[in-house]
Amino acid sequence: MKQSGSISRRQFIRSTALTTGGLIIAFRVPAGIRKITALTESNLFMPNAFLRIGADDSVKILLSHCEMGQGIWTSLSMLIAEELDADWHKLQVEHAPADTAYYHTIYATQRTGGSSSLYSEFERYRKAGATARYLLVQAAANRWKVNSNECRTENGYVISGDKNVRYGELVQEASALPVPADVPLKDPANWKIIGKQKIKKLDSPEKINGKAVFGMDIQIAGMLTAIVSRVPVSGASITKYDEAAAMAVPGVRQLVKIPTGIAVLADDFWAAKKGRDALKVQWDLGEASHINSDSLLTELRARADKGGIAATDVGNPEEMFAKSKYKLETEYYQPFLAQAPMEPLNCTVQLSADKCEIWTGTQTQTDDQRAASQITGLPINKVFIHTCFLGGSFGRRNITRSDFVREAVEIAKATGKVVKTVWTREDDIQGGMYRPAFLHRFKVGLDANGMPVSWNQISVGQSVMTGGPFEKVAVINGVDMFSIEGMHTAPFVKNIKDQKIELNTPTWPVLIDNWRAVGLSHTIFAMESLINEMAHAVKKDPVDYRRMLYKDAPRLLGVLNLAAEKSNWGTPLPKGRGKGIAAYEAVASYVALVAEVSVSKDGSVKVHKVTCAVDCGLAVHPDGVVAQMEGSIGYGLSTALYSEITFKNGYVQQKNFYNYPILRIHEMPEVNTFIVPSNEKPGGIGEASVGQMMPAVTNAIFAATGKRIRNLPIKKVNTGTA
Amino acid sequence: MIQLKVNGKQYEVDVPPDMPILWVIREKLGLTGTKFGCGAAQCGACTVHLDGQGIRSCISPVSRAIGKEIVTIEGLQASLSKPLMDAWLEIDVPQCGYCQTGQIMAAAILLRENNHPSDEDIDNAMSGNICRCGTYQRIRKAIHLAADIKRSAT
Ligand code: FES
Ligand code: FES
């Protein structure tokens, strides 16, 4: 018996914490911050790394995590403001500098990812607020010569009897007090901010009026813009390029060879772009020149035929399959995908003899520091990262090798110039770091009730975690647990006595990496399509069938039932419409989606409505949860309908949004989201519902037309005879 | 030297005439509220108004703006920007925010022309603007609300 493959996202988090030394609560104030604020230190109260209260009553919150649309600018601030009893309207929020004080409480580097920000900071940020409040109360009590338990706080004031004092007035006295090792937290019954409906996002005003600063907006005197000619495969080399033509473009200053290609440096974007176009680089793609999407599925299938490394191998699934009442053999294919964040990648670097300053939107400040330190030879603490707003990421700014930061530092080092790299949209779509293509093949036997009793599976696709910071915990005996994320741990799979789940991991030169929801971005489609096929085989309603499968998974069952109820599952639909359901645990939350679709004569798919039920434990910022559900449903629908990166002789065929289409407003379904009231620990949200959307749509297409979609993207349904 | 009028101010810029308006306003004038998303008239992040018409500044050469007036998010007149921004805040539309200024510039044209847009009007006016974060449902709600606000103000 072998059960190496029993790691879920939850367990992953736990085991990561173990290997990285456990929970880190660093309440040290980083030196950098002291220096920045040295002139005004007497006017500033800095009880810990996350908070500064000014004599002017300003409350500044420093975020260890980055804001990329997922809403932590607001939700993490809510945690501090709640315990501090701060005046919500006086909060100012900033990205923290890169510093060990801001290391992730689980990952042990400064990092935003895995939809973990809120739950990993739930204690630390509340403690940060509570500690400050404790000291302010103490300072007021000392001033008034009363006992601190005779004081209360409200909206930025300490109050005792008829006396009150603004927090700003207590800054000096509070700063003189010793910081307690631990302080009690509020009773949740007294929360005024956490979990409340009316909280508006703190970053919305500046994002609407154009004042929000994204990495793309950084401009420094004397800065040159660099655009790079590169390819998304490893092992390629440059054979030819037209240096003279590029240098002849007015405004082009310099060309430089770097490990990823050739950079054209110019006075502005336009000159750099024209210069890069004139360069006409020719590549020898080496091994990669054999990559063709036409033959990709054939190759994945050939690998599936060969088998792989077993993640689970118990009992005798072949024998059990032969004996099973119902038998299913099926496979699902999903292509390479680009993240395509709205803001193309960019990175600004100012390098001098004694320090390296970097401005960019990044999820991986510590990795970036390490990369810059390695390239420049400067110590880590001489690499300063100024995190800007991220114009979306979806994993593209969470790259194991810090690709776009590394490249900008290389250029700065090679040229001695202040440089900003800008990726065009074509560079983004063709720049790699894709969600790997995957094939999941199943041979499943069901008993007379329809319960799976024999499970044979082989999955084929490149490994995202190999070579990255989490390889040690995520890749076990050659099996990248993220390649089969949520499959072997599914409630109706993990207890099957006769099962074998194998993984075949190609090492192709296509550059792949994190993509929103990582493994779940493809595994949920396979599993939730398969479940519908199982339900169909035993002639059960897809919701009833899932009730049976999820009977020992109460929270999953809860969202399934809620989504079914709110979508009026089972009531007749107009002709030509169908409903599809998908329900799954993802990033420590549970989401069920019901999609209602119709398919027109020409095969195009219209999703009319989506009902979403989410159990994310305690919803700290409910409207933020709703927003993430809406957005992920749009992201998932875009993926289901259109998204596909294809290769021809090693070159990516898509260029821009005209051939890598993104969902538009007229295609966005009406979304209704229902949050399960819960006091469980908060779960993740940003990646919790992307994976469910694809099968919810294809299951609905099946209900509407009888056509089963097993390969993504859907593009159009073949409405001819089956 | 090219003479430009942007948000009511006169500028003189030393750029080639084929440089897109987007890069002139962002890099030479420092007006970075207008965004670069695709450079190919596909996403609308770069939407500005040229003599009152919504244009894709990423593909519009600066020569096209000579003798005309450019309005960017920074200079949108209050009669349009106020109802839109109030509605955008009330519905709390933005996620990453990168597309939002372009969305508002496109919505401003719709609202100026149409006091009471239907869902179909919104689809027609806004389908050139991509939001990768998928805030479309809220954009739709916010435009309806902005129209309400604008109508009750006049
Ligand atoms: S940047 Fe101009 S339309 Fe996309
Ligand atoms: S809010 Fe992120 S692209 Fe629209």
Side-chain angles (χ1 to χ4, degrees):
Chain A
M1 163 152 179
K2 189 174 162 195
Q3 272 285 10
S4 71
S6 51
I7 185 171
S8 69
R9 195 69 84 98
R10 258 175 222 284
Q11 290 163 321
F12 171 73
I13 288 158
R14 268 202 300 275
S15 49
T16 313
L18 287 177
T19 55
T20 55
L23 205 71
I24 299 152
I25 299 191
F27 273 4
R28 173 178 74 73
V29 177
I33 295 208
R34 285 203 181 276
K35 214 178 84 205
I36 294 164
T37 54
L39 289 174
T40 54
E41 203 156 322
S42 65
N43 294 324
L44 214 55
F45 170 43
M46 297 184 284
N48 50 59
F50 309 98
L51 196 50
R52 290 182 250 166
I53 299 175
D56 59 356
D57 285 335
S58 61
V59 175
K60 197 162 274 183
I61 291 173
L62 290 125
L63 292 182
S64 41
H65 295 255
C66 70
E67 175 58 55
M68 49 190 157
Q70 84 281 40
I72 51 96
W73 203 258
T74 308
S75 56
L76 291 182
S77 299
M78 288 168 77
L79 301 177
I80 287 187
E82 178 68 72
E83 292 294 338
L84 181 59
D85 277 334
D87 180 347
W88 182 253
H89 302 286
K90 296 225 169 90
L91 296 186
Q92 298 165 19
V93 188
E94 279 177 19
H95 284 124
D99 190 281
T100 53
Y102 302 106
Y103 274 11
H104 194 288
T105 59
I106 300 163
Y107 300 152
T109 58
Q110 199 168 336
R111 174 182 300 277
T112 308
S115 296
S116 66
S117 300
L118 203 279
Y119 63 73
S120 69
E121 295 294 10
F122 191 57
E123 294 294 317
R124 184 162 71 168
Y125 271 61
R126 284 188 301 153
K127 287 259 154 95
T131 308
R133 179 186 169 277
Y134 176 93
L135 292 167
L136 291 162
V137 166
Q138 200 58 53
N142 292 351
R143 186 189 272 202
W144 294 329
K145 303 199 170 37
V146 299
N147 201 313
S148 62
N149 61 20
E150 292 166 55
C151 300
R152 62 190 177 87
T153 49
E154 198 178 304
N155 232 12
Y157 282 86
V158 185
I159 303 163
S160 180
D162 56 1
K163 297 184 284 289
N164 65 62
V165 58
R166 289 182 292 106
Y167 286 176
E169 294 175 61
L170 295 166
V171 157
Q172 286 193 18
E173 287 142 88
S175 299
L177 296 172
V179 177
D182 199 15
V183 291
L185 294 172
K186 269 190 190 174
D187 179 344
N190 299 327
W191 282 344
K192 294 191 190 115
I193 296 172
I194 293 176
K196 302 303 170 213
Q197 295 294 340
K198 286 265 162 339
I199 302 292
K200 299 275 188 237
K201 286 184 184 157
L202 291 165
D203 51 346
S204 286
E206 58 191 307
K207 286 179 171 177
I208 288 167
N209 64 21
K211 297 212 170 80
V213 177
F214 297 86
M216 192 67 90
D217 302 329
I218 297 297
Q219 294 196 63
I220 293 173
M223 176 185 95
L224 296 179
T225 298
I227 301 188
V228 176
S229 187
R230 59 174 94 70
V231 287
V233 293
S234 55
S237 55
I238 291 168
T239 53
K240 214 173 122 188
Y241 61 95
D242 193 343
E243 177 168 359
M247 288 305 295
V249 173
V252 170
R253 299 287 163 205
Q254 196 172 349
L255 304 184
V256 60
K257 271 200 174 182
I258 48 168
T260 48
I262 300 181
V264 178
L265 284 77
D267 294 339
D268 48 51
F269 172 91
W270 192 239
K273 165 123 186 351
K274 285 206 277 191
R276 200 265 306 261
D277 290 347
L279 201 57
K280 294 210 167 54
V281 176
Q282 290 180 23
W283 295 86
D284 174 358
L285 295 187
E287 271 297 293
S289 64
H290 303 298
I291 299 169
N292 279 297
S293 288
D294 289 347
S295 53
L296 184 67
L297 187 53
T298 316
E299 170 147 11
L300 288 166
R301 282 184 173 145
R303 286 176 165 271
D305 294 342
K306 273 204 207 111
I309 303 177
T312 72
D313 188 2
V314 291
N316 193 336
E318 287 294 346
E319 198 174 289
M320 197 61 189
F321 181 77
K323 284 196 284 193
S324 298
K325 166 105 198 264
Y326 303 98
K327 300 179 174 66
L328 264 104
E329 291 188 69
T330 179
E331 62 177 30
Y332 305 93
Y333 164 75
Q334 295 164 85
F336 289 105
L337 299 176
Q339 300 85 350
M342 204 68 224
E343 177 196 16
L345 296 172
N346 56 81
C347 181
T348 304
V349 179
Q350 185 164 33
L351 179 61
S352 58
D354 58 353
K355 66 175 177 177
C356 177
E357 294 209 68
I358 298 173
W359 291 261
T360 192
T362 176
Q363 294 179 241
T364 56
Q365 289 84 352
T366 310
D367 292 354
D368 300 342
Q369 274 185 310
R370 288 176 184 162
S373 162
Q374 191 199 20
I375 294 163
T376 61
L378 289 165
I380 298 253
N381 64 4
K382 294 296 168 203
V383 179
F384 299 92
I385 313 265
H386 307 273
T387 305
C388 309
F389 276 123
L390 284 67
S393 177
F394 316 110
R396 185 61 187 88
R397 294 175 158 96
N398 179 13
I399 296 302
T400 39
R401 294 152 210 94
S402 288
D403 68 325
F404 62 96
V405 172
R406 189 177 282 275
E407 184 180 72
V409 176
E410 294 275 10
I411 298 169
K413 188 188 172 200
T415 61
K417 301 279 168 29
V418 184
V419 62
K420 169 162 135 188
T421 56
V422 177
W423 295 49
T424 63
R425 178 56 59 191
E426 289 77 6
D427 296 337
D428 169 65
I429 299 288
Q430 305 196 321
M433 308 304 162
Y434 301 127
R435 198 288 303 276
F438 258 87
L439 180 77
H440 297 288
R441 181 185 285 177
F442 302 91
K443 195 166 150 187
V444 175
L446 312 177
D447 68 13
N449 292 323
M451 275 306 279
V453 288
S454 146
W455 192 276
N456 227 314
Q457 176 189 337
I458 171 117
S459 297
V460 188
Q462 287 169 269
S463 165
V464 170
M465 293 295 156
T466 302
F470 299 119
E471 177 169 352
K472 274 209 187 83
V473 282
V475 185
I476 301 170
N477 302 329
V479 176
D480 181 343
M481 292 303 160
F482 282 78
S483 294
I484 49 170
E485 191 179 5
M487 298 180 116
H488 52 313
T489 52
F492 51 93
V493 175
K494 65 181 180 199
N495 296 324
I496 296 176
K497 291 194 185 67
D498 296 284
Q499 62 163 293
K500 185 172 189 181
I501 298 179
E502 291 173 281
L503 180 66
N504 182 306
T505 307
T507 50
W508 294 329
V510 179
L511 299 178
I512 51 131
D513 220 298
N514 289 310
W515 193 96
R516 195 176 197 177
V518 196
L520 297 168
S521 72
H522 55 87
T523 58
I524 297 180
F525 171 69
M527 294 297 272
E528 285 290 291
S529 300
L530 174 62
I531 289 174
N532 253 50
E533 299 212 48
M534 290 172 3
H536 186 69
V538 300
K539 302 192 170 50
K540 285 202 173 158
D541 171 81
V543 169
D544 286 341
Y545 184 71
R546 282 178 175 79
R547 286 189 178 122
M548 178 177 83
L549 290 187
Y550 305 162
K551 63 179 187 311
D552 298 323
R555 294 179 71 185
L556 191 53
L557 196 58
V559 291
L560 175 76
N561 285 328
L562 184 60
E565 179 207 322
K566 296 295 184 186
S567 66
N568 299 316
W569 185 266
T571 57
L573 285 169
K575 200 177 154 357
R577 287 213 184 178
K579 271 186 195 157
I581 190 154
Y584 229 82
E585 179 186 348
V587 290
S589 291
Y590 303 80
V591 174
L593 301 180
V594 173
E596 185 177 324
V597 315
S598 62
V599 178
S600 67
K601 274 210 186 74
D602 75 343
S604 40
V605 176
K606 168 88 185 159
V607 181
H608 301 273
K609 257 191 213 172
V610 176
T611 306
C612 169
V614 49
D615 174 355
C616 58
L618 173 76
V620 168
H621 182 208
D623 193 49
V625 172
V626 172
Q628 280 306 297
M629 292 298 111
E630 293 165 357
S632 302
I633 284 164
Y635 201 88
L637 180 54
S638 214
T639 306
L641 292 175
Y642 304 125
S643 303
E644 179 176 35
I645 290 289
T646 58
F647 288 87
K648 187 158 189 185
N649 301 329
Y651 289 99
V652 175
Q653 293 177 288
Q654 291 69 30
K655 285 199 163 81
N656 203 315
F657 295 133
Y658 51 78
N659 52 11
Y660 193 81
I662 305 295
L663 195 82
R664 291 175 185 270
I665 192 166
H666 61 280
E667 300 164 305
M668 180 74 191
E670 174 195 331
V671 178
N672 292 297
T673 300
F674 302 89
I675 301 175
V676 175
S678 169
N679 291 318
E680 299 273 346
K681 282 184 70 174
I685 271 303
E687 301 168 286
S689 59
V690 174
Q692 290 87 335
M693 188 56 191
M694 292 76 115
V697 173
T698 53
N699 289 340
I701 291 172
F702 183 76
T705 66
K707 306 282 172 193
R708 171 56 57 189
I709 309 280
R710 297 192 182 88
N711 296 356
L712 292 182
I714 301 163
K715 290 183 195 158
K716 282 195 173 179
V717 181
N718 178 0
T719 46
T721 46
Chain B
M1 283 290 174
I2 289 177
Q3 310 279 333
L4 279 184
K5 194 175 177 197
V6 184
N7 298 336
K9 275 198 216 147
Q10 211 62 51
Y11 295 90
E12 210 177 61
V13 287
D14 184 12
V15 296
D18 69 339
M19 183 184 281
I21 293 171
L22 173 66
W23 298 107
V24 179
I25 57 180
R26 281 183 57 82
E27 295 186 338
K28 309 295 169 184
L29 309 184
L31 297 168
T32 53
T34 307
K35 301 302 184 195
F36 166 58
C38 69
Q42 296 288 306
C43 77
C46 65
T47 306
V48 301
H49 300 171
L50 183 64
D51 274 357
Q53 300 291 311
I55 61 155
R56 302 285 182 252
S57 67
C58 67
I59 53 146
S60 308
V62 66
S63 56
R64 205 181 139 188
I66 296 168
K68 298 190 173 150
E69 170 152 29
I70 297 168
V71 172
T72 70
I73 187 75
E74 291 90 350
L76 186 63
Q77 82 245 38
S79 66
L80 288 170
S81 70
K82 179 92 170 65
L84 282 165
M85 292 191 189
D86 286 353
W88 242 252
L89 289 177
E90 178 56 32
I91 307 291
D92 223 355
V93 179
Q95 290 190 20
C96 84
Y98 195 75
C99 74
Q100 295 294 336
T101 51
Q103 304 279 2
I104 288 176
M105 293 305 280
I109 302 273
L110 170 64
L111 218 57
R112 190 192 64 205
E113 300 298 318
N114 186 339
N115 239 347
H116 206 157
S118 65
D119 278 343
E120 202 186 333
D121 296 332
I122 293 173
D123 283 348
N124 289 336
M126 302 300 293
S127 64
N129 286 68
I130 290 175
C131 174
R132 184 55 162 154
C133 298
T135 64
Y136 297 125
Q137 173 154 309
R138 289 181 188 230
I139 290 172
R140 183 183 302 285
K141 279 190 192 158
I143 292 175
H144 283 306
L145 178 59
D148 289 349
I149 297 171
K150 186 160 173 278
R151 281 198 312 277
S152 59
T154 46

